[in-house]
């Protein structure tokens, strides 16, 4: 269960999350200097819904069509230990 919501030191600053609110899919883009990304999606209560390791990409699409309407937290960690958090909403 994830409890941290604030941004941490060493954040992956070049990260875009769209569209917000999301309906069927969530698009992620980040800077190309990150080789390996660990991606997690948590619901508002902190429950881990998705964990995925991504390598050598600068973008990813997450299918959120099965997630209920609400607020979510995206946590990305790069291979250097830099962490970014983004809040996003899903509205169907």
């Amino acid at each position: 269960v994830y409890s941290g919501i604030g941004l941490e030191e060493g954040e992956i600053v070049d990260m875009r999350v769209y569209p917000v609110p999301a309906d069927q899919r969530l698009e992620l883009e980040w800077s190309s200097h990150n080789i390996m990304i660990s991606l997690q999606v948590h619901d508002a209560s902190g429950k881990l819904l998705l964990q995925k390791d991504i390598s050598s990409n600068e973008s990813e699409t997450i299918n959120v069509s099965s997630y209920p309407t609400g607020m979510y937290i995206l946590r990305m960690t790069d291979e250097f230990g830099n962490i970014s958090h983004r809040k996003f909403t899903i509205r169907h």
Side-chain angles (χ1 to χ4, degrees), residues 41-85:
V41 175
H42 299 264
D43 67 13
S45 71
K47 180 180 176 185
L48 179 64
L49 302 175
L50 173 71
Q51 183 163 346
K52 185 175 188 180
D53 290 330
I54 306 162
S55 61
S56 300
N57 290 334
E58 294 177 5
S59 65
E60 183 72 16
T61 300
I62 301 173
N63 181 349
V64 295
S65 61
S66 64
Y67 296 173
T69 296
M71 177 72 71
Y72 294 83
I73 300 166
L74 172 69
R75 182 176 194 259
M76 293 178 74
T77 307
D78 71 12
E79 74 274 17
F80 304 111
N82 297 315
I83 300 171
S84 283
H85 301 102

